[in-house]
Amino acid sequence: QVHLVESGGGLVQAGESLRLSCTASGSIFRIEDMGWHRQAPGKQRELVAIITRSGTPTLADSVKGRFTISRDNGKNTVYLQMNSLKPEDTGVYYCNARIKPNSSNYFQSYWVQGTQVTVSS
């Protein structure tokens, strides 16, 4: 089995920072893309940032210059450093990873239940 566990959400004031982390564990053969999506109340889930296995990041325009995504392949972990947070960054943040388990010939998309990030003005 494969598990994703994320941590780091919370309540902060505008302008402050948070770091999210997400670690994959279990019977893993290989991990490709890892990333974060978020969903604000009443809105659709949107991509925040994604990073390839080789370390190439893609960030949503709304977070460029403020958020940084990185990963440690040795630890099967992806990080989202969020600086200069704004109230509009509030939402549930979901870690996602494309993983090939040892038990399968195919990559599958894994998600976690999400962590709440609340930015007060």
Side-chain angles (χ1 to χ4, degrees):
Q1 284 190 335
V2 174
H3 302 279
L4 284 181
V5 177
E6 67 179 330
S7 62
L11 170 64
V12 297
Q13 293 188 334
E16 294 184 338
S17 299
L18 279 175
R19 189 173 87 151
L20 306 181
S21 63
C22 177
T23 299
S25 63
S27 184
I28 296 170
F29 180 78
R30 185 178 177 90
I31 304 175
E32 291 296 337
D33 297 348
M34 302 183 82
W36 301 88
H37 290 67
R38 70 185 178 191
Q39 187 165 18
K43 294 189 177 181
Q44 289 188 332
R45 190 175 298 190
E46 62 176 356
L47 174 69
V48 177
I50 191 168
I51 187 167
T52 66
R53 181 175 179 82
S54 61
T56 301
T58 300
L59 290 96
D61 288 343
S62 60
V63 305
K64 284 180 180 176
R66 300 187 298 121
F67 290 13
T68 303
I69 187 169
S70 61
R71 65 190 284 175
D72 183 333
N73 290 333
K75 296 181 179 179
N76 290 341
T77 299
V78 61
Y79 305 96
L80 185 67
Q81 178 66 44
M82 305 184 291
N83 298 329
S84 303
L85 282 160
K86 303 176 180 180
E88 50 264 44
D89 294 317
T90 294
V92 179
Y93 283 68
Y94 299 91
C95 173
N96 166 245
R98 199 159 66 94
I99 298 172
K100 183 178 180 299
N102 285 327
S103 61
S104 174
N105 291 326
Y106 305 100
F107 282 91
Q108 301 173 37
S109 186
Y110 290 83
W111 294 83
V112 290
Q113 74 278 10
T115 187
Q116 178 69 43
V117 172
T118 303
V119 185
S120 63
S121 58

